[in-house]
Amino acid sequence: MGSRLALASHLFDIVLVLSQRPGGARLAEISAVLDLAPSSVQSGLRTLTVNGLVVRGARATYSLAPHPAIDALVAFAARRADPGEATLVVLRSNEGVVFACRDEGGFVVAERMADDRTRAALDRVLGTIAADRSDAPPVLRFADDQLRRLLRSALGLRARVGQATVVKAAGTARPRPRRDELAAVVPSRSA
């Protein structure tokens, strides 16, 4: 019974990942996002595919199927788990998110604003996670270039990002401030 529950949890996490990948995702990408063994992800994908909820496309990518229950399944997957963990999976999965960090105050996120599909997917699922949940972590969302500018001038945000745990950093985005940038804000321990 315990292994079935663990598998069910993986299935819902896979659904969350695929909800953020309108163009589909490869097995290795899903495995990396969820930090799961490829064999576990493969087993979950097989179960979802056999049940008509996921389709395998070109270049061995997997996508959510055009099934009448998909919207309800994604909504359930978003609400069933701890909202912080569901938010983490969504942010790590979404290709429009180029940077995300987490601290006790929630998440700070930098997004590429070019792709409306990934932004819409992110809006939809983050909204579902937060719906009717007082414990959903706040998500501060910025355009990538906007966060870069703010990190040069907003000292509180710079300190927050500098002390937070980076959960995603992709591409050329580097909103995490350099140590010398933080030195001006964060007092040294010897002082």
Side-chain angles (χ1 to χ4, degrees):
M1 179 77 164
S3 65
R4 284 186 190 165
L5 291 177
L7 176 59
S9 177
H10 294 335
L11 292 176
F12 293 122
D13 289 342
I14 292 168
V15 167
L16 279 180
V17 170
L18 294 177
S19 77
Q20 297 305 299
R21 298 289 184 105
R26 296 174 64 86
L27 172 75
E29 294 169 330
I30 299 167
S31 177
V33 165
L34 296 176
D35 196 25
L36 288 174
S39 59
S40 296
V41 173
Q42 186 174 34
S43 175
L45 286 168
R46 187 178 311 115
T47 300
L48 291 166
T49 301
V50 165
N51 287 288
L53 300 169
V54 167
V55 293
R56 183 177 172 164
R59 300 179 333 236
T61 59
Y62 294 88
S63 302
L64 293 176
H67 189 284
I70 284 298
D71 290 340
L73 182 62
V74 171
F76 180 74
R79 285 188 169 133
R80 70 146 186 91
D82 172 73
E85 294 306 308
T87 301
L88 178 64
V89 168
V90 168
L91 294 175
R92 290 189 63 189
S93 303
N94 190 289
E95 292 175 307
V97 173
V98 293
F99 173 84
C101 64
R102 182 182 195 179
D103 65 8
E104 66 280 346
F107 294 88
V108 177
V109 175
E111 300 175 57
R112 266 192 323 262
M113 292 297 168
D115 189 352
D116 290 336
R117 287 179 20 171
T118 59
R119 196 167 61 247
L122 188 61
D123 291 343
R124 185 173 48 254
V125 177
L126 288 179
T128 301
I129 292 168
D132 306 320
R133 299 285 300 259
S134 62
D135 58 344
V139 180
L140 294 177
R141 294 170 64 184
F142 301 95
D144 185 26
D145 60 336
Q146 179 187 26
L147 183 58
R148 288 172 191 263
R149 281 192 309 275
L150 284 171
L151 287 174
R152 286 187 225 112
S153 60
L155 301 180
L157 182 61
R158 183 189 311 176
R160 179 179 177 186
V161 169
Q163 295 171 354
T165 301
V166 174
V167 295
K168 182 175 185 178
T172 59
R174 195 198 57 78
R176 185 167 175 92
R178 296 185 311 256
R179 289 197 186 276
D180 61 328
E181 292 173 330
L182 290 174
V185 191
V186 181
S188 91
R189 294 179 191 253
S190 61

